[in-house]
Amino acid sequence: MSDYRYLTFALGKGRLATKTMELFEEIGITCEEMKDKNSRKLIFVNEELKLRFFLSKGPDVPTYVEYGAADIGIVGRDTILEENRNVYEVLDLGYGKCRMCVCGPASARELLQHHERIRVASKYPNIARDYFYDKKHQTVDIIKLNGSVELGPLVELSDVIVDIVETGSTLKENGLEVLEEVCPLSARMIVNPVSMQMETERIKDLVNRLRGRLSS
Ligand code: PRP
């Protein structure tokens, strides 16, 4: 093990990182210093296994992986699709399951059927553009928001939104509904293409162990 170089993981901060470390622990990969909630450290190391972990904002994970600053990243499929970076997606981790949907008031359903030029608010402008332009062949105006996207139709900023739906309660509490499903989402493992070549055995072994654990 001492001859190995460090393998570096970028994890999307929050629930995803917690879930990921729980899963890693089940296959014998631990990182004790990461469990200290008061720590302000940014990089955590397991010297014995030659592994390093750092937490970043979700949308930055594919950036770190594309540039090789991290060999491996764990992030939602929504971020992978939106960022469209040059990385390999190697494993569906199964958790963080939700859906990317077009949502709005029931009255907006009709606007989606007649290819009208409508306004679409989203935190995911690239996913929204791909869906409307490439899949539906509908010309729309896309308005980028940074959160609380459900406000869009409520304050008449937009006709519909493209956003993540998990339990559906945010929509329900605001009188909105799913109008169309864009795609299913979950947490994925991504790998830098050069790391994949240089560290094939270690990465394959990790993916196989995780896959085994997930299917047991
Ligand atoms: C996400 C998403 C929806 C909500 C969906 O927002 O953008 O608003 O969760 O979850 P639900 O279907 O279980 O209600 P998040 O909480 O990440 O915050 P944001 O609105 O600031 O993006």
Side-chain angles (χ1 to χ4, degrees):
M1 188 65 67
S2 58
D3 293 340
Y4 282 2
R5 74 170 181 87
Y6 277 89
L7 265 190
T8 302
F9 292 76
L11 309 178
K13 261 187 214 170
R15 265 182 305 172
L16 210 66
T18 309
K19 275 292 257 182
T20 301
M21 292 316 288
E22 284 170 9
L23 173 65
F24 279 15
E25 209 158 318
E26 289 173 21
I27 60 159
I29 295 176
T30 54
C31 191
E32 288 308 314
E33 53 176 14
M34 229 168 148
K35 291 179 183 165
D36 177 4
K37 297 284 172 232
N38 297 320
S39 173
R40 305 287 294 170
K41 271 185 89 162
L42 294 173
I43 299 179
F44 306 92
V45 182
N46 180 325
E47 303 274 0
E48 198 191 329
L49 298 176
K50 290 272 192 278
L51 301 175
R52 294 200 303 174
F53 301 88
F54 66 81
L55 302 173
S56 78
K57 288 265 186 192
D60 293 338
V61 169
T63 313
Y64 285 111
V65 175
E66 180 182 89
Y67 284 90
D71 301 289
I72 294 171
I74 309 286
V75 71
R77 184 177 179 225
D78 49 317
T79 304
I80 298 170
L81 294 173
E82 182 62 23
E83 296 298 314
N84 195 24
R85 294 279 178 179
N86 178 27
V87 295
Y88 294 154
E89 188 184 310
V90 296
L91 185 63
D92 182 348
L93 294 159
Y95 46 83
K97 270 201 169 79
C98 49
R99 300 181 293 157
M100 185 65 73
C101 297
V102 181
C103 313
S107 57
R109 199 173 287 278
E110 217 182 314
L111 302 174
L112 299 170
Q113 268 139 34
H114 307 298
H115 289 85
E116 289 185 46
R117 188 170 184 127
I118 56 170
R119 285 196 193 170
V120 180
S122 187
K123 228 163 100 170
Y124 302 90
N126 293 327
I127 294 177
R129 193 171 295 112
D130 286 352
Y131 181 70
F132 278 100
Y133 281 74
D134 298 346
K135 207 159 170 194
K136 283 181 65 86
H137 307 292
Q138 181 169 2
T139 304
V140 297
D141 294 318
I142 292 169
I143 304 169
K144 162 92 195 276
L145 289 177
N146 293 297
S148 303
V149 178
E150 290 83 357
L151 274 171
L154 300 181
V155 299
E156 293 176 15
L157 172 75
S158 69
D159 298 291
V160 297
I161 61 173
V162 168
D163 199 20
I164 290 174
V165 179
E166 194 179 348
T167 61
S169 43
T170 311
L171 291 179
K172 204 167 167 210
E173 283 185 34
N174 291 290
L176 305 173
E177 54 189 66
V178 171
L179 303 173
E180 289 176 359
E181 181 170 323
V182 177
C183 62
L185 304 169
S186 57
R188 306 290 161 107
M189 178 179 282
I190 54 174
V191 178
N192 171 274
V194 177
S195 304
M196 195 68 202
Q197 275 194 343
M198 308 290 286
E199 297 287 342
T200 314
E201 288 313 312
R202 276 174 96 190
I203 294 173
K204 268 194 181 165
D205 175 62
L206 172 69
V207 170
N208 286 337
R209 280 157 63 207
L210 288 170
R211 196 174 278 136
R213 181 69 222 167
L214 290 166
S215 63
S216 68

